[in-house]
Amino acid sequence: MISKRHDFKNIKNFSLFYGIGNSEELSKYDLTIVEPLGQNEISVKEMQAKGTLVIAYVSVVEIIEAFPHYKFLREEDFLKIDNNRVMNKEFNTYLINLKSERWISILMHHIGNLILNSNYDGIFLDTMGDVEFSVFNEQQQESLICGAVDFITKIREQYEDIIIIQNNGFNKLIESTFNFIDGVCWENPRLWDINNSDWIKYITGKLTNLSKEQMKVLLLYEENSFTSQEFAKINLAEKIAKINNFLIYKTESYC
């Protein structure tokens, strides 16, 4: 029997959708990443029946108060600087310490439910790149990266056949996780930013080398408008994806 991980190596396209339903449209892709709260057993089976690999979204480092598992957390589970919780103000989320045994236990239970009960083909580990945030000093980053690597290692040991896709975390984290994951997603890179050109070249080169190790690189680009400038950005993203054999998905909004 051919494994899901083997099937993933052969995908030609992908989509990402955090809304409700939409299984007919999503079934047109080889792989789709969805928010589990927006799907049900029937919609997942419908997509899989048409040959689509269905991947469940999981936020690893960030959490909103409305998320069901928030109530199980304690103050010591949150990441803090100067005794203040670290937040991603753009999304109004709190960052959680991956050294927290309670949070890891919650995540593993959640992932187990998605794989064993909801029958997803794999998981998309979002917010992983947070461990590289510049607000953390070098010692804190090392600790957070260590926690992230331990977490991904634990998932792979427990679920050998599922597809694991990591979102971002390309400076240091990917160097320790690439042996345990099947793909990485590069979300909204500022490919056109001349101030970041050296970094873009460095990361592109790193990801290209990793893709030669049979790891898929997914380039996710959000279109915010349809101006000529925006189309120029899209064209550049498509060009870089084609040159480096990355898969690209463009979406108006995935939030």
Side-chain angles (χ1 to χ4, degrees):
M1 182 177 178
I2 297 177
S3 71
K4 299 171 184 176
R5 297 180 70 186
H6 181 273
D7 289 340
F8 177 72
K9 291 179 180 180
N10 297 315
I11 67 170
K12 303 300 182 184
N13 52 58
F14 79 102
S15 64
L16 182 145
F17 181 69
Y18 291 166
I20 298 174
N22 204 32
S23 60
E24 184 174 347
E25 178 64 25
L26 297 176
S27 296
K28 297 176 182 179
Y29 296 88
D30 294 338
L31 177 139
T32 187
I33 299 166
V34 298
E35 165 55 66
L37 293 176
Q39 304 298 324
N40 55 41
E41 183 179 351
I42 295 175
S43 64
V44 172
K45 285 184 177 179
E46 285 177 345
M47 290 183 277
Q48 291 171 330
K50 294 182 179 180
T52 299
L53 294 168
V54 187
I55 307 299
Y57 170 93
V58 177
S59 181
V60 178
V61 182
E62 297 182 24
I63 191 170
I64 57 173
E65 292 189 29
F67 191 66
H69 296 139
Y70 181 88
K71 62 185 177 183
F72 298 115
L73 295 173
R74 300 292 180 266
E75 198 62 32
E76 59 267 26
D77 300 319
F78 294 92
L79 280 172
K80 295 183 178 182
I81 294 179
D82 295 330
N83 210 35
N84 295 313
R85 289 188 187 183
V86 180
M87 289 188 68
N88 182 340
K89 294 183 179 179
E90 182 180 0
F91 299 105
N92 200 33
T93 53
Y94 294 105
L95 272 63
I96 311 175
N97 194 342
L98 290 182
K99 287 292 188 177
S100 163
E101 293 183 5
R102 182 175 14 251
W103 177 237
I104 295 302
S105 177
I106 290 171
L107 281 177
M108 292 301 296
H109 183 270
H110 179 49
I111 290 170
N113 184 55
L114 293 170
I115 300 301
L116 302 177
N117 297 326
S118 298
N119 296 311
Y120 281 93
D121 297 305
I123 51 174
F124 176 72
L125 300 176
D126 193 25
T127 65
M128 292 293 291
D130 289 12
V131 299
E132 296 181 347
F133 275 3
S134 59
V135 295
F136 303 118
N137 61 40
E138 186 175 350
Q139 184 177 1
Q140 289 171 320
Q141 277 196 13
E142 288 180 0
S143 176
L144 295 175
I145 289 173
C146 181
V149 173
D150 288 345
F151 170 59
I152 289 182
T153 303
K154 191 171 185 177
I155 298 172
R156 177 54 71 210
E157 288 176 347
Q158 193 156 337
Y159 305 103
E160 294 182 2
D161 190 42
I162 71 167
I163 298 162
I164 301 176
I165 302 172
Q166 173 184 313
N167 195 26
N168 294 330
F170 304 137
N171 287 318
K172 294 181 179 179
L173 182 62
I174 192 68
E175 296 170 4
S176 299
T177 59
F178 77 92
N179 281 322
F180 305 101
I181 62 179
D182 303 284
V184 291
C185 180
W186 196 1
E187 181 180 357
N188 286 332
R190 298 180 61 84
L191 302 172
W192 51 88
D193 190 343
I194 191 66
N195 295 319
N196 287 332
S197 59
D198 289 341
W199 185 82
I200 291 294
K201 289 178 182 178
Y202 169 70
I203 296 302
T204 300
K206 178 183 284 190
L207 295 180
T208 299
N209 288 333
L210 289 174
S211 68
K212 294 176 182 177
E213 301 288 336
Q214 299 299 308
M215 188 175 70
K216 286 288 184 181
V217 178
L218 313 180
L219 181 58
L220 178 63
Y221 184 73
E222 182 181 18
E223 303 169 10
N224 296 313
S225 64
F226 294 96
T227 63
S228 58
Q229 184 181 22
E230 195 71 14
F231 277 118
K233 293 177 181 178
I234 295 169
N235 289 335
L236 177 58
E238 290 178 331
K239 180 180 179 180
I240 289 177
K242 184 176 182 179
I243 290 173
N244 295 284
N245 199 31
F246 300 163
L247 299 183
I248 186 171
Y249 180 68
K250 305 177 295 295
T251 176
E252 263 189 73
S253 175
Y254 52 86
C255 297

